[in-house]
Amino acid sequence: MVSAILEGLVKALELIASGDPTLVDITLRSLAISGLATILASCWSIPLGVFIGLGKFRGRSLFKGLFNVLLGLPTVTLGLVLYLVFSRSGPLGFLQLLYTPSVIVIGQAILITPVIVSFVANTLEAVDPEIRSLALTLGASEVRASLTVLNESLNGVLLAVTASFNRAIAELGVALMLGGNIRGATRVLTTTIALETNRGQIALGIAMAVVLLSIVGLVNILVSQARRWI
Amino acid sequence: MIELAGVSKIYNGIEALKNINLKVERGEILTILGPNGSGKTTLLKILGALEMPTEGFILSNGVRVDEGNAEETRRTTTLVFQRAVLLRGTVRDNVAYGLRIRNLAGPEIEKRVKAALSLVGLEDLADRPSKGLSGGEQQRCSLARALVLECNLLLLDEPTANLDPESMIIIKQVIKRLSERGVTIVLATHDLKQAQELSERILLLDGGEIVESGRPDDLFLGQSSDMARFTRSENFFSGESRVLEGVARINIGGGVEIHGALSRGGPVNIHVRPEDIIVSNERIVSSARNNLLGSIFRIEDHNSIIRIKVDVGVVFTVQITRRSFEEMGLNVGQEVYLTFKASSVMLL
């Protein structure tokens, strides 16, 4: 077993070093799909998180609790539900999106929505309530004061987006069930790892795992550098 | 320049201010003196147009202030909060915030920020992240951020409360200097000595009402009954005074006799500032006339300073810096000596 892992690691490094075209293709697809999903989800989740974090309305804590529960949503459960929705006989079957990269983007965007909403809401709640008053007394307009509050929580928002990207690129359930792991079309890092390991191709599986971990690590390093500068 | 007429403010069913009538004159330095919870902060927030009165109205240069035009008033009036609230970024970013909002040119901002920082003694820390400052430095940064705007009216909420001595001195100097420049200042404090030293007019606030107002001399030496009501605050004592050889010996109960540099005999109300008392593990031989032995029964942590309650028969509050506190290794239950000069005893 140990020798298999070592052998896998060596093979993995060879594949990475030689810039294996399959590996590059799959990696780029993973980055594109999960990156798009993160951008898409941010578009609706950040405003929603701001609304929940700063808003004063009835049922706010219930609303927030719901998103906290959804944080732990198993990816296969979401995959199953979306499969039924997008399958030929499902309500959105006419779009014919099943087994395309687009549907993985949509699925992952839905999956990570609670991550962004919860993190953003929490980070805004944690901003000192006096910041708004401070901005106002220093001469800011109401709009400018709200922007100042958001700016104070920029770090937390960035963290939310990073965490959601990590969850998107590392998930398997949605990509496998909606994408179908079609070579050259919907095959991404996680589905390849699952497939290759099943086929006994440990080395390729490990190579993909190494790449996946490197991406997640690299993104986190870049973001933490960026957080220091903003 | 700003006037409150019949102002009341109700927060969650509690009346924080009751029927306040007040006129702040251009160029004056007015102190609002009152115990914690007397409505000082609320009054300042209304003067700064951050809150609107529940009843009554605010007049700014004769114009009534409402939600619609509050922003105009806020452009010429700034409040410095009791607890320093700092924005992300460096000290410089914080101080420049209000100038950027006003769309000033870069070199002008740079010039004014530099001047403001040097006034509060933070010029060397301009590029430090604001969150890394000590408590006193944070408060000085907040003050610089307000005074850089060159507002007509500066509102200060307990500007020196719980600060290290260095910051306290700097802030007091800045207040004096601004006042000399003609800035109108309204200052809230519960520190009697500060009120006496800094202000031209004192307003006594208690339970949301103005109970007395006047010049410091009249209030402090006129045996004001309202001043005596501050017994809820710290280190206020009433007792019988006997004047012997130019020193008043005041029996304040609990078997405690205090020597004060006062010439009044009979019943008196006195106050000793918590920061004027020296605390020591051994008895100090010095020229100070008061030396009391007691035990610590409470320690309150206010970041850079520590307040200690000591029972010497009556309870004294002593304020020391965190460094002294840590060096002395003080604990609850420990016996300590309190030392202060007869001249630190203030007559009310």
Side-chain angles (χ1 to χ4, degrees), chain A residues 74-95:
Chain A
T75 58
V76 281
T77 312
L78 183 69
L80 175 65
V81 172
L82 291 179
Y83 177 82
L84 294 175
V85 170
F86 284 100
S87 67
R88 196 174 290 265
S89 54
L92 295 179
F94 67 92
L95 294 172

Side-chain angles (χ1 to χ4, degrees), chain A residues 128 134 137-138 148 151-152, chain B residues 79 83 88 97 102 145:
Chain A
D128 192 327
L134 174 77
T137 198
L138 293 175
T148 301
N151 186 48
E152 284 300 302
Chain B
L79 169 60
R83 184 177 57 88
R88 257 165 12 96
Y97 179 85
R102 286 163 175 76
R145 186 175 55 191

Side-chain angles (χ1 to χ4, degrees), chain A residues 128-142 144-145 148 151-155 227 230, chain B residues 45 48 50 71 74-75 77-79 81 83 85-88 94 97-98 100-102 131 145-146 149:
Chain A
D128 192 327
E130 292 276 44
I131 290 282
R132 218 184 84 84
S133 299
L134 174 77
L136 290 176
T137 198
L138 293 175
S141 62
E142 295 280 347
R144 184 79 191 239
T148 301
N151 186 48
E152 284 300 302
S153 57
L154 213 56
N155 245 319
R227 281 170 64 190
I230 61 167
Chain B
K45 283 193 167 167
L50 281 174
E71 196 184 324
R74 290 197 296 255
R75 288 243 165 181
T77 306
T78 302
L79 169 60
F81 301 139
R83 184 177 57 88
V85 179
L86 296 180
L87 301 165
R88 257 165 12 96
N94 266 272
Y97 179 85
R100 292 218 177 100
I101 283 178
R102 286 163 175 76
K131 311 266 157 138
R145 186 175 55 191
L149 304 174

Side-chain angles (χ1 to χ4, degrees), chain A residues 40-160:
Chain A
L40 194 65
S42 298
C43 289
W44 62 67
S45 306
I46 293 176
L48 191 58
V50 171
F51 178 66
I52 295 177
L54 293 184
K56 292 185 179 74
F57 55 91
R58 276 173 65 135
R60 195 184 74 95
S61 59
L62 199 76
F63 213 42
K64 211 185 132 201
L66 178 74
F67 279 102
N68 282 338
V69 170
L70 288 177
L71 273 180
L73 183 71
T75 58
V76 281
T77 312
L78 183 69
L80 175 65
V81 172
L82 291 179
Y83 177 82
L84 294 175
V85 170
F86 284 100
S87 67
R88 196 174 290 265
S89 54
L92 295 179
F94 67 92
L95 294 172
Q96 299 195 332
L97 285 176
L98 202 61
Y99 303 133
T100 65
S102 306
V103 80
I104 309 181
V105 172
I106 295 170
Q108 289 187 345
I110 294 172
L111 178 75
I112 61 179
T113 291
V115 180
I116 306 182
V117 172
S118 274
F119 276 39
V120 169
N122 276 319
T123 188
L124 281 171
E125 278 175 9
V127 173
D128 192 327
E130 292 276 44
I131 290 282
R132 218 184 84 84
S133 299
L134 174 77
L136 290 176
T137 198
L138 293 175
S141 62
E142 295 280 347
V143 174
R144 184 79 191 239
S146 300
L147 285 177
T148 301
V149 173
L150 196 62
N151 186 48
E152 284 300 302
S153 57
L154 213 56
N155 245 319
V157 174
L158 201 59
L159 188 69

